[in-house]
């Protein structure tokens, strides 16, 4: 996955949103962190990993990866806000229980909000990549889905979203 490219595209999208919504000079970190938590919850909901009481299957892979890259947009954006756009995260952890991975991500987000260190950011990003791997996504699938969703987000800004 080309993280430099993804950070660059996210910077462009963030700049456009800031300009078009007259947010120049606004500190949006809290809103982005909360948006990330909401998106992680939406992703968990689509996987249905925690719904032990239901026999309904998870959503289709296309829906789940779209939710996943919604999260990725905000992970990139909060890293940019803290000048951590030079990292090259890796997927070191694997084969954890997916429900536990979601819980770990919420802890990671809270840790990063509380202490916005580079170490906490790398942990958040790497745990997120590990979740993606456990969900069955390859780095190429994630990058391609991000590029597709980024185009949709740009079109939404053009349309006055």
């Amino acid at each position: 996955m080309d993280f430099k490219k993804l950070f660059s595209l996210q910077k462009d999208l963030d700049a456009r949103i800031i300009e078009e919504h007259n947010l120049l000079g606004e500190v949006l970190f809290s809103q982005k962190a909360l948006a990330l938590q909401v998106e992680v919850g939406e992703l968990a909901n689509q996987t249905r990993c925690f719904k032990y009481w239901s026999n309904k299957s998870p959503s289709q892979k296309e829906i789940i990866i779209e939710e996943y890259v919604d999260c990725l947009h905000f992970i990139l954006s909060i890293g940019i806000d803290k000048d951590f756009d030079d990292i090259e995260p890796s997927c070191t952890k694997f084969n954890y229980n997916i429900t536990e991975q979601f819980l770990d991500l919420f802890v990671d987000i809270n840790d990063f909000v509380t202490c916005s260190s580079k170490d906490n950011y790398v942990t958040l990003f790497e745990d997120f990549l590990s979740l993606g791997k456990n969900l069955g996504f390859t780095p190429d699938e994630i990058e391609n889905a991000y590029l597709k969703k980024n185009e949709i987000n740009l079109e939404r800004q053009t349309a006055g979203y």
Side-chain angles (χ1 to χ4, degrees), residues 32-63:
K32 291 176 183 184
L34 179 58
L36 176 56
Q37 289 176 322
V38 169
E39 292 297 340
V40 169
E42 289 178 5
L43 174 60
N45 199 44
Q46 293 300 327
T47 69
R48 302 184 59 80
C49 64
F50 63 95
K51 296 188 177 189
Y52 61 88
W53 60 88
S54 176
N55 292 321
K56 188 175 175 185
S57 297
S59 295
Q60 294 177 334
K61 185 175 183 176
E62 296 78 27
I63 293 170

Side-chain angles (χ1 to χ4, degrees), residues 3-158:
F3 292 107
K4 287 181 184 184
K5 177 180 179 181
L6 297 182
F7 276 115
S8 177
L9 289 169
Q10 189 63 46
K11 280 182 189 177
D12 292 345
L13 177 60
D14 287 353
R16 183 164 175 191
I17 290 169
I18 287 169
E19 180 182 325
E20 292 186 11
H21 293 272
N22 298 314
L23 298 168
L24 192 61
E26 296 286 326
V27 177
L28 301 172
F29 180 76
S30 294
Q31 290 91 329
K32 291 176 183 184
L34 179 58
L36 176 56
Q37 289 176 322
V38 169
E39 292 297 340
V40 169
E42 289 178 5
L43 174 60
N45 199 44
Q46 293 300 327
T47 69
R48 302 184 59 80
C49 64
F50 63 95
K51 296 188 177 189
Y52 61 88
W53 60 88
S54 176
N55 292 321
K56 188 175 175 185
S57 297
S59 295
Q60 294 177 334
K61 185 175 183 176
E62 296 78 27
I63 293 170
I64 294 173
I65 199 166
E66 184 173 341
E67 293 294 344
Y68 184 84
V69 296
D70 285 346
C71 298
L72 180 56
H73 274 85
F74 288 107
I75 289 174
L76 292 166
S77 190
I78 63 174
I80 291 165
D81 282 358
K82 300 298 180 181
D83 294 322
F84 299 149
D85 56 333
D86 60 342
I87 67 162
E88 286 284 335
S90 61
C91 181
T92 56
K93 301 175 185 174
F94 186 60
N95 252 353
Y96 286 116
N97 175 290
I98 290 176
T99 301
E100 291 174 7
Q101 282 189 288
F102 277 109
L103 293 173
D104 285 346
L105 279 175
F106 283 114
V107 170
D108 292 344
I109 296 165
N110 288 331
D111 286 349
F112 188 61
V113 168
T114 303
C115 176
S116 298
S117 70
K118 194 172 212 174
D119 285 343
N120 282 345
Y121 182 66
V122 169
T123 297
L124 167 61
F125 211 140
E126 289 182 346
D127 286 352
F128 180 72
L129 293 175
S130 176
L131 174 64
K133 189 171 185 177
N134 276 341
L135 291 172
F137 305 139
T138 67
D140 285 343
E141 286 175 318
I142 294 167
E143 185 170 340
N144 290 334
Y146 175 88
L147 296 174
K148 181 179 175 183
K149 187 61 185 263
N150 193 60
E151 282 299 315
I152 291 168
N153 288 338
L154 289 169
E155 290 170 9
R156 286 177 174 172
Q157 291 307 306
T158 300

